[in-house]
mmCIF file of all heavy atoms in Angstrom:
data_model
loop_
_atom_site.group_PDB
_atom_site.id
_atom_site.type_symbol
_atom_site.label_atom_id
_atom_site.label_comp_id
_atom_site.label_asym_id
_atom_site.label_seq_id
_atom_site.Cartn_x
_atom_site.Cartn_y
_atom_site.Cartn_z
ATOM 1 N N ILE A 1264 9.057 -7.212 20.697
ATOM 2 C CA ILE A 1264 7.706 -7.185 20.170
ATOM 3 C C ILE A 1264 6.731 -7.526 21.284
ATOM 4 O O ILE A 1264 7.018 -8.336 22.167
ATOM 5 C CB ILE A 1264 7.546 -8.164 18.982
ATOM 6 C CG1 ILE A 1264 6.261 -7.880 18.212
ATOM 7 C CG2 ILE A 1264 7.608 -9.614 19.435
ATOM 8 C CD1 ILE A 1264 6.192 -8.593 16.873
ATOM 9 N N GLY A 1265 5.574 -6.889 21.253
ATOM 10 C CA GLY A 1265 4.560 -7.145 22.262
ATOM 11 C C GLY A 1265 3.193 -6.719 21.778
ATOM 12 O O GLY A 1265 3.054 -6.002 20.781
ATOM 13 N N ARG A 1266 2.180 -7.162 22.491
ATOM 14 C CA ARG A 1266 0.802 -6.795 22.155
ATOM 15 C C ARG A 1266 0.508 -5.368 22.595
ATOM 16 O O ARG A 1266 0.941 -4.924 23.660
ATOM 17 C CB ARG A 1266 -0.174 -7.752 22.819
ATOM 18 C CG ARG A 1266 -0.059 -9.193 22.352
ATOM 19 C CD ARG A 1266 -1.113 -10.060 23.008
ATOM 20 N NE ARG A 1266 -0.970 -11.460 22.631
ATOM 21 C CZ ARG A 1266 -1.500 -11.998 21.550
ATOM 22 N NH1 ARG A 1266 -2.224 -11.256 20.731
ATOM 23 N NH2 ARG A 1266 -1.315 -13.279 21.280
ATOM 24 N N GLY A 1267 -0.226 -4.656 21.768
ATOM 25 C CA GLY A 1267 -0.662 -3.322 22.120
ATOM 26 C C GLY A 1267 -1.903 -3.352 22.984
ATOM 27 O O GLY A 1267 -2.494 -4.397 23.248
ATOM 28 N N SER A 1268 -2.293 -2.160 23.441
ATOM 29 C CA SER A 1268 -3.472 -2.072 24.297
ATOM 30 C C SER A 1268 -4.761 -2.330 23.530
ATOM 31 O O SER A 1268 -5.737 -2.825 24.099
ATOM 32 C CB SER A 1268 -3.531 -0.692 24.968
ATOM 33 O OG SER A 1268 -3.568 0.352 24.008
ATOM 34 N N ALA A 1269 -4.788 -1.994 22.258
ATOM 35 C CA ALA A 1269 -5.961 -2.243 21.429
ATOM 36 C C ALA A 1269 -5.937 -3.665 20.889
ATOM 37 O O ALA A 1269 -4.875 -4.264 20.710
ATOM 38 C CB ALA A 1269 -6.027 -1.241 20.283
ATOM 39 N N LYS A 1270 -7.105 -4.195 20.629
ATOM 40 C CA LYS A 1270 -7.209 -5.545 20.101
ATOM 41 C C LYS A 1270 -6.552 -5.635 18.731
ATOM 42 O O LYS A 1270 -6.672 -4.728 17.905
ATOM 43 C CB LYS A 1270 -8.680 -5.949 20.021
ATOM 44 C CG LYS A 1270 -8.897 -7.391 19.618
ATOM 45 C CD LYS A 1270 -10.373 -7.735 19.599
ATOM 46 C CE LYS A 1270 -10.596 -9.172 19.206
ATOM 47 N NZ LYS A 1270 -12.044 -9.516 19.172
ATOM 48 N N ASN A 1271 -5.853 -6.745 18.516
ATOM 49 C CA ASN A 1271 -5.178 -7.008 17.247
ATOM 50 C C ASN A 1271 -4.192 -5.903 16.881
ATOM 51 O O ASN A 1271 -4.110 -5.472 15.723
ATOM 52 C CB ASN A 1271 -6.200 -7.209 16.126
ATOM 53 C CG ASN A 1271 -7.070 -8.422 16.350
ATOM 54 O OD1 ASN A 1271 -6.619 -9.428 16.897
ATOM 55 N ND2 ASN A 1271 -8.321 -8.338 15.931
ATOM 56 N N THR A 1272 -3.446 -5.460 17.870
ATOM 57 C CA THR A 1272 -2.416 -4.452 17.692
ATOM 58 C C THR A 1272 -1.116 -4.959 18.290
ATOM 59 O O THR A 1272 -1.117 -5.536 19.381
ATOM 60 C CB THR A 1272 -2.809 -3.122 18.358
ATOM 61 O OG1 THR A 1272 -4.017 -2.633 17.783
ATOM 62 C CG2 THR A 1272 -1.711 -2.085 18.166
ATOM 63 N N ILE A 1273 -0.017 -4.748 17.596
ATOM 64 C CA ILE A 1273 1.289 -5.116 18.113
ATOM 65 C C ILE A 1273 2.210 -3.906 18.061
ATOM 66 O O ILE A 1273 2.081 -3.037 17.188
ATOM 67 C CB ILE A 1273 1.928 -6.290 17.347
ATOM 68 C CG1 ILE A 1273 2.041 -5.962 15.854
ATOM 69 C CG2 ILE A 1273 1.145 -7.561 17.567
ATOM 70 C CD1 ILE A 1273 2.867 -6.968 15.080
ATOM 71 N N ASN A 1274 3.139 -3.871 18.996
ATOM 72 C CA ASN A 1274 4.172 -2.849 19.040
ATOM 73 C C ASN A 1274 5.532 -3.503 18.861
ATOM 74 O O ASN A 1274 5.758 -4.638 19.298
ATOM 75 C CB ASN A 1274 4.141 -2.091 20.363
ATOM 76 C CG ASN A 1274 2.857 -1.329 20.569
ATOM 77 O OD1 ASN A 1274 2.306 -0.755 19.626
ATOM 78 N ND2 ASN A 1274 2.365 -1.308 21.801
ATOM 79 N N HIS A 1275 6.429 -2.789 18.230
ATOM 80 C CA HIS A 1275 7.781 -3.275 18.001
ATOM 81 C C HIS A 1275 8.751 -2.182 18.426
ATOM 82 O O HIS A 1275 8.888 -1.172 17.729
ATOM 83 C CB HIS A 1275 7.974 -3.651 16.537
ATOM 84 C CG HIS A 1275 9.288 -4.277 16.230
ATOM 85 N ND1 HIS A 1275 9.740 -5.413 16.881
ATOM 86 C CD2 HIS A 1275 10.261 -3.938 15.339
ATOM 87 C CE1 HIS A 1275 10.925 -5.748 16.408
ATOM 88 N NE2 HIS A 1275 11.262 -4.866 15.470
ATOM 89 N N GLU A 1276 9.393 -2.380 19.566
ATOM 90 C CA GLU A 1276 10.340 -1.415 20.097
ATOM 91 C C GLU A 1276 11.732 -1.722 19.570
ATOM 92 O O GLU A 1276 12.199 -2.861 19.661
ATOM 93 C CB GLU A 1276 10.332 -1.429 21.623
ATOM 94 C CG GLU A 1276 9.013 -1.015 22.234
ATOM 95 C CD GLU A 1276 9.050 -0.992 23.745
ATOM 96 O OE1 GLU A 1276 10.088 -1.385 24.321
ATOM 97 O OE2 GLU A 1276 8.044 -0.581 24.360
ATOM 98 N N MET A 1277 12.387 -0.702 19.063
ATOM 99 C CA MET A 1277 13.727 -0.836 18.514
ATOM 100 C C MET A 1277 14.644 0.133 19.242
ATOM 101 O O MET A 1277 14.399 1.340 19.242
ATOM 102 C CB MET A 1277 13.721 -0.558 17.017
ATOM 103 C CG MET A 1277 12.755 -1.449 16.243
ATOM 104 S SD MET A 1277 12.902 -1.268 14.445
ATOM 105 C CE MET A 1277 12.367 0.442 14.246
ATOM 106 N N ASN A 1278 15.684 -0.407 19.842
ATOM 107 C CA ASN A 1278 16.612 0.378 20.649
ATOM 108 C C ASN A 1278 18.019 0.309 20.081
ATOM 109 O O ASN A 1278 18.364 -0.619 19.340
ATOM 110 C CB ASN A 1278 16.611 -0.136 22.091
ATOM 111 C CG ASN A 1278 15.242 -0.106 22.727
ATOM 112 O OD1 ASN A 1278 14.579 0.925 22.741
ATOM 113 N ND2 ASN A 1278 14.807 -1.248 23.257
ATOM 114 N N ASN A 1279 18.821 1.292 20.464
ATOM 115 C CA ASN A 1279 20.219 1.362 20.020
ATOM 116 C C ASN A 1279 20.318 1.181 18.511
ATOM 117 O O ASN A 1279 21.088 0.353 18.010
ATOM 118 C CB ASN A 1279 21.056 0.308 20.750
ATOM 119 C CG ASN A 1279 22.545 0.531 20.584
ATOM 120 O OD1 ASN A 1279 22.998 1.648 20.332
ATOM 121 N ND2 ASN A 1279 23.323 -0.543 20.715
ATOM 122 N N LEU A 1280 19.556 1.971 17.796
ATOM 123 C CA LEU A 1280 19.490 1.830 16.347
ATOM 124 C C LEU A 1280 20.806 2.212 15.683
ATOM 125 O O LEU A 1280 21.535 3.083 16.163
ATOM 126 C CB LEU A 1280 18.354 2.679 15.795
ATOM 127 C CG LEU A 1280 16.959 2.124 16.089
ATOM 128 C CD1 LEU A 1280 15.892 3.180 15.853
ATOM 129 C CD2 LEU A 1280 16.687 0.889 15.230
ATOM 130 N N ARG A 1281 21.086 1.554 14.583
ATOM 131 C CA ARG A 1281 22.311 1.744 13.819
ATOM 132 C C ARG A 1281 21.976 2.138 12.395
ATOM 133 O O ARG A 1281 20.876 1.864 11.912
ATOM 134 C CB ARG A 1281 23.129 0.449 13.814
ATOM 135 C CG ARG A 1281 23.387 -0.137 15.186
ATOM 136 C CD ARG A 1281 23.818 -1.583 15.089
ATOM 137 N NE ARG A 1281 24.014 -2.189 16.399
ATOM 138 C CZ ARG A 1281 24.171 -3.478 16.609
ATOM 139 N NH1 ARG A 1281 24.170 -4.330 15.583
ATOM 140 N NH2 ARG A 1281 24.337 -3.942 17.841
ATOM 141 N N PRO A 1282 22.916 2.780 11.693
ATOM 142 C CA PRO A 1282 22.640 3.137 10.294
ATOM 143 C C PRO A 1282 22.227 1.944 9.443
ATOM 144 O O PRO A 1282 21.406 2.101 8.528
ATOM 145 C CB PRO A 1282 23.962 3.743 9.821
ATOM 146 C CG PRO A 1282 24.561 4.316 11.068
ATOM 147 C CD PRO A 1282 24.187 3.359 12.161
ATOM 148 N N GLU A 1283 22.756 0.773 9.717
ATOM 149 C CA GLU A 1283 22.390 -0.403 8.948
ATOM 150 C C GLU A 1283 20.973 -0.886 9.216
ATOM 151 O O GLU A 1283 20.488 -1.789 8.523
ATOM 152 C CB GLU A 1283 23.387 -1.551 9.188
ATOM 153 C CG GLU A 1283 23.633 -1.855 10.656
ATOM 154 C CD GLU A 1283 24.868 -1.162 11.201
ATOM 155 O OE1 GLU A 1283 25.076 0.028 10.860
ATOM 156 O OE2 GLU A 1283 25.635 -1.786 11.955
ATOM 157 N N ASP A 1284 20.297 -0.308 10.206
ATOM 158 C CA ASP A 1284 18.891 -0.601 10.432
ATOM 159 C C ASP A 1284 17.987 0.168 9.478
ATOM 160 O O ASP A 1284 16.771 -0.062 9.468
ATOM 161 C CB ASP A 1284 18.492 -0.286 11.872
ATOM 162 C CG ASP A 1284 19.158 -1.202 12.879
ATOM 163 O OD1 ASP A 1284 19.284 -2.413 12.597
ATOM 164 O OD2 ASP A 1284 19.549 -0.707 13.958
ATOM 165 N N THR A 1285 18.535 1.082 8.714
ATOM 166 C CA THR A 1285 17.756 1.832 7.741
ATOM 167 C C THR A 1285 17.130 0.877 6.730
ATOM 168 O O THR A 1285 17.831 0.092 6.088
ATOM 169 C CB THR A 1285 18.636 2.862 7.031
ATOM 170 O OG1 THR A 1285 19.122 3.816 7.979
ATOM 171 C CG2 THR A 1285 17.848 3.594 5.956
ATOM 172 N N ALA A 1286 15.812 0.936 6.592
ATOM 173 C CA ALA A 1286 15.100 0.003 5.733
ATOM 174 C C ALA A 1286 13.634 0.394 5.682
ATOM 175 O O ALA A 1286 13.183 1.308 6.380
ATOM 176 C CB ALA A 1286 15.237 -1.431 6.261
ATOM 177 N N THR A 1287 12.900 -0.312 4.839
ATOM 178 C CA THR A 1287 11.451 -0.248 4.858
ATOM 179 C C THR A 1287 10.943 -1.368 5.747
ATOM 180 O O THR A 1287 11.309 -2.534 5.550
ATOM 181 C CB THR A 1287 10.863 -0.374 3.450
ATOM 182 O OG1 THR A 1287 11.398 0.651 2.616
ATOM 183 C CG2 THR A 1287 9.351 -0.243 3.486
ATOM 184 N N TYR A 1288 10.106 -1.036 6.699
ATOM 185 C CA TYR A 1288 9.614 -1.999 7.670
ATOM 186 C C TYR A 1288 8.161 -2.323 7.352
ATOM 187 O O TYR A 1288 7.343 -1.428 7.149
ATOM 188 C CB TYR A 1288 9.743 -1.451 9.087
ATOM 189 C CG TYR A 1288 11.167 -1.443 9.590
ATOM 190 C CD1 TYR A 1288 12.113 -0.582 9.045
ATOM 191 C CD2 TYR A 1288 11.570 -2.308 10.603
ATOM 192 C CE1 TYR A 1288 13.421 -0.591 9.488
ATOM 193 C CE2 TYR A 1288 12.876 -2.316 11.052
ATOM 194 C CZ TYR A 1288 13.802 -1.452 10.495
ATOM 195 O OH TYR A 1288 15.096 -1.470 10.949
ATOM 196 N N TYR A 1289 7.836 -3.625 7.340
ATOM 197 C CA TYR A 1289 6.521 -4.103 6.950
ATOM 198 C C TYR A 1289 5.881 -4.898 8.068
ATOM 199 O O TYR A 1289 6.506 -5.795 8.635
ATOM 200 C CB TYR A 1289 6.613 -5.008 5.719
ATOM 201 C CG TYR A 1289 7.087 -4.318 4.463
ATOM 202 C CD1 TYR A 1289 8.435 -4.263 4.145
ATOM 203 C CD2 TYR A 1289 6.178 -3.737 3.589
ATOM 204 C CE1 TYR A 1289 8.872 -3.643 2.993
ATOM 205 C CE2 TYR A 1289 6.604 -3.114 2.429
ATOM 206 C CZ TYR A 1289 7.955 -3.072 2.136
ATOM 207 O OH TYR A 1289 8.388 -2.460 0.988
ATOM 208 N N CYS A 1290 4.643 -4.580 8.360
ATOM 209 C CA CYS A 1290 3.847 -5.414 9.245
ATOM 210 C C CYS A 1290 3.277 -6.581 8.443
ATOM 211 O O CYS A 1290 2.939 -6.443 7.261
ATOM 212 C CB CYS A 1290 2.718 -4.600 9.875
ATOM 213 S SG CYS A 1290 1.716 -5.512 11.084
ATOM 214 N N HIS A 1291 3.173 -7.724 9.101
ATOM 215 C CA HIS A 1291 2.676 -8.932 8.447
ATOM 216 C C HIS A 1291 1.735 -9.673 9.391
ATOM 217 O O HIS A 1291 1.954 -9.699 10.606
ATOM 218 C CB HIS A 1291 3.842 -9.843 8.056
ATOM 219 C CG HIS A 1291 3.417 -11.205 7.626
ATOM 220 N ND1 HIS A 1291 3.412 -12.298 8.481
ATOM 221 C CD2 HIS A 1291 2.966 -11.667 6.425
ATOM 222 C CE1 HIS A 1291 2.996 -13.356 7.831
ATOM 223 N NE2 HIS A 1291 2.714 -13.001 6.578
ATOM 224 N N ALA A 1292 0.701 -10.256 8.820
ATOM 225 C CA ALA A 1292 -0.204 -11.084 9.591
ATOM 226 C C ALA A 1292 -0.572 -12.308 8.781
ATOM 227 O O ALA A 1292 -0.724 -12.239 7.559
ATOM 228 C CB ALA A 1292 -1.471 -10.326 9.992
ATOM 229 N N GLN A 1293 -0.710 -13.412 9.471
ATOM 230 C CA GLN A 1293 -1.221 -14.640 8.884
ATOM 231 C C GLN A 1293 -2.581 -14.904 9.517
ATOM 232 O O GLN A 1293 -2.676 -15.068 10.735
ATOM 233 C CB GLN A 1293 -0.254 -15.790 9.140
ATOM 234 C CG GLN A 1293 -0.524 -17.017 8.308
ATOM 235 C CD GLN A 1293 0.565 -18.058 8.475
ATOM 236 O OE1 GLN A 1293 0.893 -18.445 9.594
ATOM 237 N NE2 GLN A 1293 1.140 -18.502 7.364
ATOM 238 N N VAL A 1294 -3.624 -14.936 8.701
ATOM 239 C CA VAL A 1294 -4.985 -14.973 9.221
ATOM 240 C C VAL A 1294 -5.760 -16.127 8.611
ATOM 241 O O VAL A 1294 -5.436 -16.627 7.539
ATOM 242 C CB VAL A 1294 -5.735 -13.650 8.965
ATOM 243 C CG1 VAL A 1294 -4.953 -12.476 9.535
ATOM 244 C CG2 VAL A 1294 -5.992 -13.444 7.477
ATOM 245 N N ARG A 1295 -6.797 -16.531 9.322
ATOM 246 C CA ARG A 1295 -7.736 -17.530 8.848
ATOM 247 C C ARG A 1295 -9.148 -16.998 9.093
ATOM 248 O O ARG A 1295 -9.483 -16.626 10.215
ATOM 249 C CB ARG A 1295 -7.539 -18.865 9.550
ATOM 250 C CG ARG A 1295 -8.553 -19.929 9.145
ATOM 251 C CD ARG A 1295 -8.366 -21.235 9.926
ATOM 252 N NE ARG A 1295 -7.176 -21.954 9.504
ATOM 253 C CZ ARG A 1295 -6.074 -22.098 10.245
ATOM 254 N NH1 ARG A 1295 -6.016 -21.568 11.457
ATOM 255 N NH2 ARG A 1295 -5.045 -22.782 9.768
ATOM 256 N N ARG A 1296 -9.961 -16.955 8.058
ATOM 257 C CA ARG A 1296 -11.325 -16.484 8.217
ATOM 258 C C ARG A 1296 -12.170 -17.550 8.914
ATOM 259 O O ARG A 1296 -11.990 -18.747 8.676
ATOM 260 C CB ARG A 1296 -11.937 -16.125 6.867
ATOM 261 C CG ARG A 1296 -13.325 -15.519 6.987
ATOM 262 C CD ARG A 1296 -13.700 -14.699 5.801
ATOM 263 N NE ARG A 1296 -14.940 -13.969 6.040
ATOM 264 C CZ ARG A 1296 -15.234 -12.797 5.507
ATOM 265 N NH1 ARG A 1296 -14.384 -12.213 4.689
ATOM 266 N NH2 ARG A 1296 -16.388 -12.200 5.783
ATOM 267 N N TRP A 1297 -13.073 -17.097 9.767
ATOM 268 C CA TRP A 1297 -13.945 -18.011 10.486
ATOM 269 C C TRP A 1297 -14.674 -18.935 9.514
ATOM 270 O O TRP A 1297 -15.252 -18.492 8.519
ATOM 271 C CB TRP A 1297 -14.979 -17.246 11.310
ATOM 272 C CG TRP A 1297 -14.400 -16.426 12.412
ATOM 273 C CD1 TRP A 1297 -13.150 -16.519 12.957
ATOM 274 C CD2 TRP A 1297 -15.060 -15.378 13.122
ATOM 275 N NE1 TRP A 1297 -12.977 -15.593 13.956
ATOM 276 C CE2 TRP A 1297 -14.147 -14.878 14.081
ATOM 277 C CE3 TRP A 1297 -16.324 -14.808 13.040
ATOM 278 C CZ2 TRP A 1297 -14.469 -13.844 14.947
ATOM 279 C CZ3 TRP A 1297 -16.649 -13.771 13.909
ATOM 280 C CH2 TRP A 1297 -15.716 -13.304 14.856
ATOM 281 N N GLY A 1298 -14.632 -20.223 9.815
ATOM 282 C CA GLY A 1298 -15.305 -21.209 8.988
ATOM 283 C C GLY A 1298 -14.512 -21.688 7.796
ATOM 284 O O GLY A 1298 -15.011 -22.524 7.040
ATOM 285 N N ARG A 1299 -13.306 -21.199 7.626
ATOM 286 C CA ARG A 1299 -12.458 -21.614 6.522
ATOM 287 C C ARG A 1299 -11.135 -22.143 7.055
ATOM 288 O O ARG A 1299 -10.696 -21.772 8.139
ATOM 289 C CB ARG A 1299 -12.232 -20.459 5.541
ATOM 290 C CG ARG A 1299 -13.521 -19.939 4.941
ATOM 291 C CD ARG A 1299 -13.278 -18.793 3.991
ATOM 292 N NE ARG A 1299 -14.522 -18.251 3.476
ATOM 293 C CZ ARG A 1299 -14.597 -17.209 2.660
ATOM 294 N NH1 ARG A 1299 -13.483 -16.600 2.253
ATOM 295 N NH2 ARG A 1299 -15.777 -16.783 2.245
ATOM 296 N N THR A 1300 -10.498 -22.996 6.260
ATOM 297 C CA THR A 1300 -9.286 -23.659 6.715
ATOM 298 C C THR A 1300 -8.010 -23.041 6.162
ATOM 299 O O THR A 1300 -6.935 -23.228 6.734
ATOM 300 C CB THR A 1300 -9.307 -25.146 6.336
ATOM 301 O OG1 THR A 1300 -9.415 -25.280 4.915
ATOM 302 C CG2 THR A 1300 -10.496 -25.839 6.990
ATOM 303 N N ASN A 1301 -8.094 -22.322 5.069
ATOM 304 C CA ASN A 1301 -6.890 -21.810 4.439
ATOM 305 C C ASN A 1301 -6.372 -20.571 5.147
ATOM 306 O O ASN A 1301 -7.133 -19.733 5.632
ATOM 307 C CB ASN A 1301 -7.141 -21.500 2.963
ATOM 308 C CG ASN A 1301 -8.216 -20.461 2.768
ATOM 309 O OD1 ASN A 1301 -9.353 -20.627 3.207
ATOM 310 N ND2 ASN A 1301 -7.858 -19.365 2.102
ATOM 311 N N LEU A 1302 -5.053 -20.450 5.189
ATOM 312 C CA LEU A 1302 -4.390 -19.286 5.755
ATOM 313 C C LEU A 1302 -4.101 -18.263 4.665
ATOM 314 O O LEU A 1302 -3.816 -18.614 3.520
ATOM 315 C CB LEU A 1302 -3.083 -19.685 6.435
ATOM 316 C CG LEU A 1302 -3.196 -20.552 7.690
ATOM 317 C CD1 LEU A 1302 -1.815 -21.016 8.136
ATOM 318 C CD2 LEU A 1302 -3.869 -19.775 8.815
ATOM 319 N N ARG A 1303 -4.167 -17.003 5.046
ATOM 320 C CA ARG A 1303 -3.846 -15.917 4.134
ATOM 321 C C ARG A 1303 -2.768 -15.030 4.737
ATOM 322 O O ARG A 1303 -2.772 -14.759 5.934
ATOM 323 C CB ARG A 1303 -5.080 -15.082 3.812
ATOM 324 C CG ARG A 1303 -6.144 -15.809 3.004
ATOM 325 C CD ARG A 1303 -7.299 -14.891 2.675
ATOM 326 N NE ARG A 1303 -8.311 -15.554 1.871
ATOM 327 C CZ ARG A 1303 -8.289 -15.604 0.548
ATOM 328 N NH1 ARG A 1303 -7.300 -15.039 -0.127
ATOM 329 N NH2 ARG A 1303 -9.259 -16.230 -0.105
ATOM 330 N N ASP A 1304 -1.853 -14.597 3.898
ATOM 331 C CA ASP A 1304 -0.816 -13.652 4.300
ATOM 332 C C ASP A 1304 -1.256 -12.241 3.943
ATOM 333 O O ASP A 1304 -1.652 -11.973 2.807
ATOM 334 C CB ASP A 1304 0.507 -13.962 3.616
ATOM 335 C CG ASP A 1304 1.134 -15.239 4.129
ATOM 336 O OD1 ASP A 1304 1.511 -15.266 5.318
ATOM 337 O OD2 ASP A 1304 1.237 -16.205 3.347
ATOM 338 N N VAL A 1305 -1.176 -11.351 4.907
ATOM 339 C CA VAL A 1305 -1.549 -9.959 4.730
ATOM 340 C C VAL A 1305 -0.344 -9.092 5.072
ATOM 341 O O VAL A 1305 0.299 -9.294 6.108
ATOM 342 C CB VAL A 1305 -2.751 -9.572 5.613
ATOM 343 C CG1 VAL A 1305 -3.163 -8.122 5.347
ATOM 344 C CG2 VAL A 1305 -3.923 -10.512 5.364
ATOM 345 N N TRP A 1306 -0.050 -8.126 4.218
ATOM 346 C CA TRP A 1306 1.086 -7.237 4.401
ATOM 347 C C TRP A 1306 0.634 -5.784 4.480
ATOM 348 O O TRP A 1306 -0.296 -5.364 3.781
ATOM 349 C CB TRP A 1306 2.079 -7.358 3.243
ATOM 350 C CG TRP A 1306 2.791 -8.675 3.188
ATOM 351 C CD1 TRP A 1306 2.431 -9.776 2.490
ATOM 352 C CD2 TRP A 1306 3.999 -8.999 3.889
ATOM 353 N NE1 TRP A 1306 3.341 -10.782 2.695
ATOM 354 C CE2 TRP A 1306 4.305 -10.335 3.541
ATOM 355 C CE3 TRP A 1306 4.842 -8.299 4.743
ATOM 356 C CZ2 TRP A 1306 5.438 -10.985 4.046
ATOM 357 C CZ3 TRP A 1306 5.962 -8.940 5.254
ATOM 358 C CH2 TRP A 1306 6.254 -10.270 4.905
ATOM 359 N N GLY A 1307 1.306 -5.029 5.331
ATOM 360 C CA GLY A 1307 1.133 -3.592 5.320
ATOM 361 C C GLY A 1307 1.860 -2.965 4.151
ATOM 362 O O GLY A 1307 2.609 -3.624 3.419
ATOM 363 N N GLN A 1308 1.643 -1.677 3.965
ATOM 364 C CA GLN A 1308 2.259 -0.980 2.841
ATOM 365 C C GLN A 1308 3.720 -0.621 3.087
ATOM 366 O O GLN A 1308 4.427 -0.283 2.136
ATOM 367 C CB GLN A 1308 1.466 0.284 2.516
ATOM 368 C CG GLN A 1308 0.068 0.001 2.000
ATOM 369 C CD GLN A 1308 -0.661 1.260 1.590
ATOM 370 O OE1 GLN A 1308 -0.163 2.367 1.771
ATOM 371 N NE2 GLN A 1308 -1.844 1.104 1.034
ATOM 372 N N GLY A 1309 4.167 -0.697 4.319
ATOM 373 C CA GLY A 1309 5.545 -0.399 4.656
ATOM 374 C C GLY A 1309 5.705 0.994 5.227
ATOM 375 O O GLY A 1309 5.035 1.936 4.803
ATOM 376 N N THR A 1310 6.591 1.129 6.191
ATOM 377 C CA THR A 1310 6.924 2.416 6.780
ATOM 378 C C THR A 1310 8.441 2.566 6.797
ATOM 379 O O THR A 1310 9.172 1.612 7.054
ATOM 380 C CB THR A 1310 6.326 2.550 8.197
ATOM 381 O OG1 THR A 1310 6.578 3.858 8.706
ATOM 382 C CG2 THR A 1310 6.916 1.520 9.149
ATOM 383 N N GLN A 1311 8.906 3.769 6.510
ATOM 384 C CA GLN A 1311 10.333 4.010 6.369
ATOM 385 C C GLN A 1311 10.981 4.304 7.715
ATOM 386 O O GLN A 1311 10.453 5.072 8.523
ATOM 387 C CB GLN A 1311 10.587 5.170 5.403
ATOM 388 C CG GLN A 1311 10.096 4.944 3.988
ATOM 389 C CD GLN A 1311 10.795 3.793 3.312
ATOM 390 O OE1 GLN A 1311 10.159 2.887 2.794
ATOM 391 N NE2 GLN A 1311 12.128 3.809 3.330
#
């Protein structure tokens, strides 16, 4: 995993993939809005 060239972008490189890697993959972020203390979990819709 690493940061992408664009702001707030991450890349996830997967090598030597196996059939058991078949799954739905979800991006996740834990964020805090400016001026607030609570954390929020944000999920992507998933990619196959």
